[in-house]
Amino acid sequence: MAKTKAYRVAERAVRVLVWLDVLISVPLYMWFLVHVSGRVSEQLPAEDALGFWLPIVVPCAAFSFTLMSSVSWWWSTASRPFLLGRTGWWVPMVFVTALSFLVGVFGSTTPDVEAALFTAMVTTMGFTGLWLLPPALSRNLIDTLSPNTSPADPA
């Protein structure tokens, strides 16, 4: 199928918007997780080894589990499940959401409603950026984002 000029312009515009979202929200979310998990680790006893690993494990877990869920959802179809499939993607996302909220609220200087709202906002931004990363890397961005067509083959 030959792509028209309007299709290519629309795809380029969408690609720029998606990449802007990814390049702004993902680093902000990773910085947030490192920062607040570092604060949580400072509250632990000095002899606790978890204090060293928490700022490393929390961002890595959030990045990898969210990206795994996203890749699974974007590249799965009814006839071709990929990784967790279109139905199993939510399990790691629930874990990552809980992990993000725990470190966000407990790592706050004042764990209150404002800290929970801020954590929810940053987590949502980070999830959105990570969720859009696989289609942003897809060669057929518009087809991947369109609900009427099956996603492009990742191979």
Side-chain angles (χ1 to χ4, degrees):
M1 173 180 127
K3 295 181 181 179
T4 64
K5 184 176 180 177
Y7 183 90
R8 287 193 301 268
V9 169
E11 186 171 28
R12 182 167 289 140
V14 170
R15 190 174 298 279
V16 166
L17 288 174
V18 167
W19 273 108
L20 276 174
D21 181 38
V22 168
L23 292 174
I24 292 170
S25 63
V26 172
L28 177 68
Y29 181 53
M30 292 298 114
W31 174 85
F32 171 76
L33 288 177
V34 168
H35 184 69
V36 295
S37 59
R39 282 188 172 178
V40 171
S41 66
E42 289 171 0
Q43 297 171 7
L44 297 173
E47 65 276 357
D48 195 346
L50 184 63
F52 172 77
W53 289 105
L54 203 59
I56 298 168
V57 171
V58 170
C60 289
F63 184 83
S64 60
F65 287 177
T66 306
L67 201 58
M68 180 177 63
S69 297
S70 176
V71 167
S72 177
W73 192 87
W74 283 109
W75 284 341
S76 289
T77 61
S79 62
R80 184 180 48 88
F82 187 76
L83 291 175
L84 305 169
R86 283 251 171 155
T87 56
W89 63 270
W90 64 271
V91 176
M93 289 299 288
V94 169
F95 171 74
V96 168
T97 303
L99 183 67
S100 184
F101 270 87
L102 284 173
V103 298
V105 172
F106 292 137
S108 172
T109 54
T110 56
D112 53 5
V113 175
E114 288 89 8
L117 290 175
F118 181 72
T119 300
M121 181 184 70
V122 173
T123 300
T124 303
M125 284 174 43
F127 282 1
T128 303
L130 287 168
W131 196 263
L132 291 174
L133 190 57
L137 294 171
S138 173
R139 283 180 264 141
N140 302 318
L141 177 65
I142 299 293
D143 294 336
T144 304
L145 293 175
S146 174
N148 298 330
T149 60
S150 64
D153 190 5

